[in-house]
Amino acid sequence: MSDEILTIQELASYLKLNEKTAYRLASEGKLPGFKVGGSWRFKKEDIEQWILLKKQENKNVN
């Protein structure tokens, strides 16, 4: 289990997204994150679970 916490910049790099896109998705509640002092943070473990969930949803659609 990883307790690694990512910043919005690290998350954007990890997901290969533009930082503005990552921020927008987080603000819309489409990415699992939380704010600390006004800055977004993301548990890497939560992001990995989110990726698995999205993969499963896409598999069910096709």
Side-chain angles (χ1 to χ4, degrees), residues 32-50:
F34 56 96
K35 280 193 164 184
V36 176
S39 298
W40 282 100
R41 297 293 184 263
F42 307 86
K43 281 187 70 176
K44 190 169 185 180
E45 180 180 349
D46 292 346
I47 296 302
E48 290 168 351
Q49 287 296 321
W50 176 82

Side-chain angles (χ1 to χ4, degrees), residues 6 9 11 13-14 27 34 44 50 62:
L6 304 173
Q9 295 86 1
L11 174 75
S13 176
Y14 182 64
S27 296
F34 56 96
K44 190 169 185 180
W50 176 82
N62 295 329

Side-chain angles (χ1 to χ4, degrees), residues 8-27:
I8 196 85
Q9 295 86 1
E10 292 166 335
L11 174 75
S13 176
Y14 182 64
L15 295 178
K16 302 198 181 353
L17 294 173
N18 183 290
E19 283 183 35
K20 288 182 181 181
T21 301
Y23 183 83
R24 179 180 52 79
L25 291 172
S27 296

